[in-house]
Each structure stands twice: as C-alpha cells, then as structure tokens.
C-alpha cells in the first residue's frame, strides 16, 4: 500500500516546514502478506530542494560548465531518490512526516514479507555500453518482478584482477552511469536486487566491456 503526500504552492518556495500525520484507515494488512507470520517495512521516499536535487549540488560546485568526473558522480548520486526504510508493526495506522518543506513530494510505501520468503529474483537483461566520453560506461538491466525493492547493486571488476566491488549508491532505477575520473571503465559488471529487508538476490550473469564495443 502506498500514499503520496505533496506540499505545493505553484512556484513559491519558503524555508518554513510543516509536520504531517498520515493515517491509514481501513487497510487490510492481510492483503499485504497472506501468512500470519509476516514482517512489515515502511519505505519513505523524499523529493524536495534539499533531497534528490542534483541542481543544488551543481550550484554548490560553482555551476561548472564542464564538470569533472567527480563532480558528475556527485550530481548523479544526488539524482537518486532519497529513501529511508524502517520496520513497522502490523496494524499501524499512523505515520509521521516531520518537517515537510515547500515544495516537496513524499511517498510512503508499506510492504509485507512472509517469514522465510525468498530473496528477490535474479536480475536479467544486463547490457553494458561504452559512451563517447573516456572512462565512462552505461549499465542497464531489466527489472525484477518483486515490488518491494530497496536498491539494485552494481558490481564492477576492473582489469587489475582485484575482484568485484560495488560501484553505485542505492538506486531504484534500472540504469547506472559508471564514470571513473582519470581511469577506464573497462571490466566486467554484475547486478543484483536487494529488497526492503536487506535480502539480496543472486547476481546477474556478468557482462564485460573491453575490446571492440558498441559506442552510444
């Protein structure tokens, strides 16, 4: 079950905030989980001038006309939707959204998991392409069928043979721009899904970038 809350007044912006209480009345918790032994999690997504706002990061960097790789990485990280996840008791009807600014969009999403439920499915459809900029690659994949996904983790292993390591921040989007300032993005990639519980699914088949590749 999900609820979207917004605070808007056309183009007006103010430093004032408002505390919001959201009541879920008439929610059938058994529809979220068919078993009597379930755990529930609340995910809160936030979008406002201070969260999920790459333009703010760009202006703080001095509005560079030609951002460095590190500056682009900082902007891309801020472009991800800010999210916090916490467990909730079944039957909870009241949720607080403190200090909601103007303007802002906030979403509450409650998911139920049966005890012992499997981790998310394996990610498929992984594609890696080089970009026209040196040291950058675009990684994309297909979504998993599960709906309560916290993030997709992108793992990369470079030609040094150091092994796979995660290279992205939490994201619910199915595309990642891997930028290595002063380095090369050649190597192999894998992706896996992680749900609200923190359970990680199996890694996708790896896709490697190197040699003759398609340029986009």
């Amino acid at each position: 079950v999900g609820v979207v809350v917004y605070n808007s007044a056309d183009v007006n912006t103010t430093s004032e905030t408002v505390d919001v209480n959201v009541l879920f009345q008439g929610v059938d918790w058994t529809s979220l989980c068919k078993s009597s032994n379930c755990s529930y999690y609340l995910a809160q997504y936030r979008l406002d001038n201070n969260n999920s706002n790459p333009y703010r990061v760009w202006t703080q960097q001095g509005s560079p006309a030609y951002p460095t790789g590190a500056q682009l990485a900082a902007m891309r990280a801020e472009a991800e939707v800010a999210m916090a996840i916490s467990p909730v008791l079944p039957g909870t009807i009241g949720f607080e959204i403190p200090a909601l600014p103007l303007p802002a969009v906030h979403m509450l999403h409650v998911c139920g998991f049966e005890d012992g439920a499997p981790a998310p499915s394996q990610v498929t459809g992984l594609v890696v392409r080089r970009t026209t900029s040196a040291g950058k690659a675009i990684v994309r994949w297909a979504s998993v069928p599960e709906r309560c996904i916290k993030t997709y983790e992108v793992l990369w292993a470079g030609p040094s043979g150091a092994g796979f390591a995660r290279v992205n921040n939490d994201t619910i989007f199915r595309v990642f721009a891997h930028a290595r300032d002063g380095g090369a993005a050649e190597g192999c990639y894998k992706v896996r899904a992680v749900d609200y519980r923190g359970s990680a699914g199996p890694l996708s088949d790896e896709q490697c970038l190197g040699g003759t590749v398609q340029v986009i």
Side-chain angles (χ1 to χ4, degrees):
V1 62
V3 173
V4 174
V5 178
Y6 67 91
N7 190 14
S8 176
D10 295 328
V11 296
N12 293 335
T13 300
T14 177
S15 59
E16 297 181 359
T17 62
V18 59
D19 295 334
V20 179
N21 292 315
V22 179
L23 296 179
F24 285 5
Q25 295 183 331
V27 174
D28 181 8
W29 284 76
T30 61
S31 67
L32 305 179
C33 185
K34 302 302 182 181
S35 171
S36 59
N37 297 315
C38 295
S39 55
Y40 298 88
Y41 293 83
L42 169 68
Q44 300 189 55
Y45 300 84
R46 194 155 193 166
L47 178 65
D48 54 51
N49 286 334
N50 296 315
N51 297 279
S52 314
N53 184 4
Y55 175 76
R56 175 182 60 84
V57 175
W58 179 69
T59 57
Q60 290 176 345
Q61 294 170 347
S63 306
Y66 302 98
T68 65
Q71 289 173 327
L72 286 171
M75 284 186 275
R76 290 191 182 103
E78 184 65 18
E80 304 296 346
V81 179
M83 176 175 55
I85 296 177
S86 58
V88 294
L89 295 174
T92 303
I93 63 171
F95 300 97
E96 293 184 355
I97 305 177
L100 187 69
L102 178 70
V105 177
H106 195 111
M107 188 180 83
L108 305 176
H109 184 216
V110 178
C111 268
F113 295 88
E114 184 177 350
D115 291 352
S121 304
Q122 183 181 32
V123 170
T124 61
L126 179 62
V127 176
V128 182
R129 294 288 184 262
R130 190 196 309 273
T131 71
T132 54
S133 300
K136 297 179 177 63
I138 298 296
V139 185
R140 57 184 174 85
W141 55 91
S143 61
V144 295
E146 292 80 11
R147 301 182 62 183
C148 302
I149 299 301
K150 173 188 176 184
T151 185
Y152 289 96
E153 295 182 342
V154 179
L155 286 75
W156 173 75
S160 66
F164 280 93
R166 187 178 177 185
V167 291
N168 71 322
N169 296 314
D170 283 354
T171 181
I172 56 175
F173 303 116
R174 297 181 292 105
V175 63
F176 171 66
H178 187 202
R180 302 187 68 241
D181 199 13
E186 278 79 3
C188 295
Y189 294 82
K190 297 181 180 181
V191 179
R192 63 185 174 191
V194 181
D195 63 25
Y196 286 179
R197 302 169 298 175
S199 297
L203 288 166
S204 68
D205 295 336
E206 69 180 50
Q207 292 291 326
C208 299
L209 181 67
T212 303
V213 297
Q214 179 180 347
V215 176
I216 59 173

